[in-house]
Amino acid sequence: MSTEQKTKSLLNHPLLQLLKNNKGNPRTLILMEPLWGIPFNLITPFATLYMYSQGVTDVQIGLILSIAMVVQVIFSFFGGILTDKLGRKFTTMMGDFFGWSVACLIWSISNNFWLFLIAMLFNCFEQINQTAWYCLLIEDAEPKDLLGIYTWVNIGGLIAIFFAPISGLLINSFTVIPVIRVLYLVFAVNMLIKVVVTFRYCKETRQGKIRMAETKDTSLLHMLYEYKELIPRVLKDKEVMKVLSVSVILYITNIVSTNFFSLYVTQWLGIESRYLAFFPILNAAVMLIFMIGIQHKLELVKFRIPMWIGLALYAIAVILLILAPTGSIPFVIVYVFVVAVAGSLVMPRKDALIQLNINAEERARINALIMSFTIAFSSPFGYFAGWLSSIDRRLPFMFSFALFLVAIIIVGRIRDPEFSK
């Protein structure tokens, strides 16, 4: 194949065609994702160390996280109301400004428990932003394009992971505190740019305009009171509850893998900590290859089959990790590879299924409820997983295995969207 043919083939890739055909909000928001993703991935591995290095104790760090989780549930609950009342575009801008730009500015100057707590509380505005951002992203898009749009969102996050080692190199030269301070400042500026770009190039969605008009003369308290009718409707919607159950399970298993994988690998398997930075990059590389090279070829396949396969792969990967011999890096590499393929199959479809199964007229408030339920239902399991890990490092992953089996059963009962049949 000639260079010209390869270029033409690349330009005709379904994911690029999707961006070309979805002008406006989807394309703008997808292209802006690295403004958030790159600094986030540069900072995240060292955020706890940044606090600890400035005298914040383990107990205080845990207290900050616990308080933040409670506030996140509250903010998520109000996210739908504000998104309807103020509009998708304005609420997204507000969430980015207060939840990230202001929060990161405070983080950049934080040197004690109280400043870190204030920064974390401002960051809780991000829960409002999530509801509005997803509505702004997909409401004017065609339902058949949702899987591709969510694939792009995942790709944006994965690309950002490749920048993560840069912060490690900088910290080796300049130490943690000054490097993370500068990175938080960069993050604050990036998110301010994101607010300006959103204001300039995004438009309020059709449904957003309808909901703004409908709620113009309705007080926030009355809209909050309306939840007493909406919550039972959501709880009685079997399809929404099935997808919500899978979402909660994936949230819990992500808590386990995020917080206990490094402990398990270093403390139980005896693998040196210097290899830890390699595993997220391998995961991102495999997911990118899968999403760009294979994902679009599965668009005509029913949602359940790829999700079944993905969840089964998750379960197999956990068993591989549990059975890995001490010091066996190849076993861990295979685990990371299998998890990456599983995530490529499951995550975009889970996000798309949520949007395809909810009432479009109440998308903002239902999304807010789903987010609140997910965080609230999952919150006790961080402590539970920690308790299991204190008994035996393998137990949190055995718990994850059991949850993946439950998810497989639930997915078997989910109805495929009409357009995928």
Side-chain angles (χ1 to χ4, degrees):
M1 186 182 291
S2 66
T3 303
E4 184 179 345
Q5 288 174 317
K6 289 180 180 178
T7 303
K8 186 176 180 180
S9 176
L10 178 62
L11 292 175
N12 288 327
H13 192 285
L15 285 174
L16 290 178
Q17 289 298 310
L18 183 142
L19 274 189
K20 180 181 177 181
N21 296 330
N22 281 270
K23 298 177 181 179
N25 294 348
R27 184 160 67 185
T28 301
L29 294 176
I30 286 169
L31 292 177
M32 281 197 297
E33 267 300 275
L35 285 174
W36 172 84
I38 292 173
F40 178 82
N41 282 283
L42 286 172
I43 292 168
T44 297
F46 304 97
T48 303
L49 184 60
Y50 175 64
M51 288 191 282
Y52 186 78
S53 299
Q54 298 189 81
V56 183
T57 66
D58 291 36
V59 173
Q60 288 175 324
I61 291 170
L63 181 59
I64 289 171
L65 294 175
S66 297
I67 293 171
M69 188 162 282
V70 172
V71 178
Q72 283 172 4
V73 173
I74 297 170
F75 274 45
S76 296
F77 197 72
F78 280 93
I81 294 174
L82 293 175
T83 298
D84 280 343
K85 188 78 172 173
L86 303 178
R88 280 73 166 129
K89 178 179 173 179
F90 181 81
T91 308
T92 297
M93 292 165 56
M94 180 182 71
D96 280 339
F97 180 74
F98 289 107
W100 288 111
S101 197
V102 173
C104 289
L105 186 61
I106 297 171
W107 266 319
S108 72
I109 61 171
S110 294
N111 59 5
N112 60 59
F113 168 81
W114 294 108
L115 282 174
F116 280 114
L117 177 61
I118 292 169
M120 185 67 82
L121 292 177
F122 267 99
N123 185 240
C124 291
F125 272 90
E126 191 263 345
Q127 294 300 321
I128 294 173
N129 167 283
Q130 279 195 35
T131 299
W133 187 86
Y134 277 116
C135 290
L136 193 64
L137 175 71
I138 58 95
E139 276 190 335
D140 287 341
E142 293 293 328
K144 63 181 178 60
D145 291 336
L146 290 190
L147 178 58
I149 289 172
Y150 281 115
T151 298
W152 267 117
V153 171
N154 279 271
I155 288 172
L158 293 170
I159 291 173
I161 291 173
F162 289 97
F163 291 85
I166 295 174
S167 51
L169 295 173
L170 291 172
I171 286 169
N172 284 337
S173 301
F174 302 103
T175 72
V176 171
I177 295 174
V179 170
I180 300 303
R181 286 199 192 284
V182 171
L183 288 176
Y184 270 126
L185 277 174
V186 171
F187 204 168
V189 172
N190 273 21
M191 296 310 291
L192 195 58
I193 293 170
K194 191 170 180 285
V195 170
V196 173
V197 174
T198 301
F199 175 76
R200 177 68 179 82
Y201 292 102
C202 288
K203 296 180 179 179
E204 185 57 58
T205 65
R206 290 188 295 271
Q207 185 59 30
K209 291 176 181 177
I210 292 170
R211 289 298 293 159
M212 286 174 70
E214 289 175 347
T215 59
K216 183 179 179 181
D217 299 319
T218 307
S219 69
L220 290 176
L221 285 176
H222 182 75
M223 292 179 70
L224 183 62
Y225 181 74
E226 289 176 350
Y227 268 125
K228 77 178 182 64
E229 297 178 356
L230 184 61
I231 291 174
R233 289 216 310 267
V234 172
L235 294 175
K236 290 177 182 178
D237 189 322
K238 293 181 180 180
E239 293 304 314
V240 171
M241 292 308 296
K242 290 171 191 173
V243 181
L244 174 61
S245 299
V246 174
S247 182
V248 170
I249 286 172
L250 293 173
Y251 197 93
I252 294 169
T253 54
N254 184 61
I255 289 174
V256 171
S257 62
T258 300
N259 292 284
F260 299 102
F261 172 75
S262 59
L263 281 176
Y264 180 81
V265 167
T266 55
Q267 303 300 312
W268 185 268
L269 296 183
I271 292 172
E272 294 180 36
S273 58
R274 62 193 176 98
Y275 291 109
L276 291 177
F278 165 74
F279 299 130
I281 294 173
L282 173 62
N283 179 279
V286 173
M287 289 187 77
L288 276 174
I289 292 170
F290 189 94
M291 287 185 172
I292 294 172
I294 300 173
Q295 188 78 283
H296 63 280
K297 297 178 181 179
L298 301 174
E299 286 185 355
L300 297 178
V301 181
K302 291 183 178 182
F303 272 51
R304 280 186 301 176
I305 296 173
M307 288 189 73
W308 257 338
I309 295 171
L311 289 167
L313 288 174
Y314 271 134
I316 292 169
V318 170
I319 292 298
L320 282 172
L321 190 64
I322 292 170
L323 297 178
T326 302
S328 178
I329 291 181
F331 263 75
V332 181
I333 290 174
V334 173
Y335 163 82
V336 172
F337 181 89
V338 176
V339 164
V341 175
S344 302
L345 288 167
V346 173
M347 291 306 181
R349 287 170 176 81
K350 181 264 295 181
D351 292 334
L353 273 175
I354 289 174
Q355 304 307 318
L356 290 167
N357 278 293
I358 64 178
N359 184 343
E361 295 178 1
E362 288 285 5
R363 177 173 276 116
R365 288 198 292 178
I366 294 176
N367 268 325
L369 283 176
I370 288 173
M371 203 172 299
S372 299
F373 289 159
T374 300
I375 297 171
F377 293 158
S378 304
S379 58
F381 290 97
Y383 176 81
F384 180 67
W387 176 71
L388 289 176
S389 183
S390 68
I391 299 171
D392 189 314
R393 300 284 187 201
R394 295 168 294 184
L395 289 180
F397 298 96
M398 293 178 183
F399 177 57
S400 289
F401 174 76
L403 289 178
F404 287 132
L405 295 182
V406 173
I408 290 170
I409 295 170
I410 295 171
V411 167
R413 301 177 66 85
I414 289 176
R415 185 174 63 245
D416 276 302
E418 291 296 326
F419 73 87
S420 68
K421 294 180 179 180

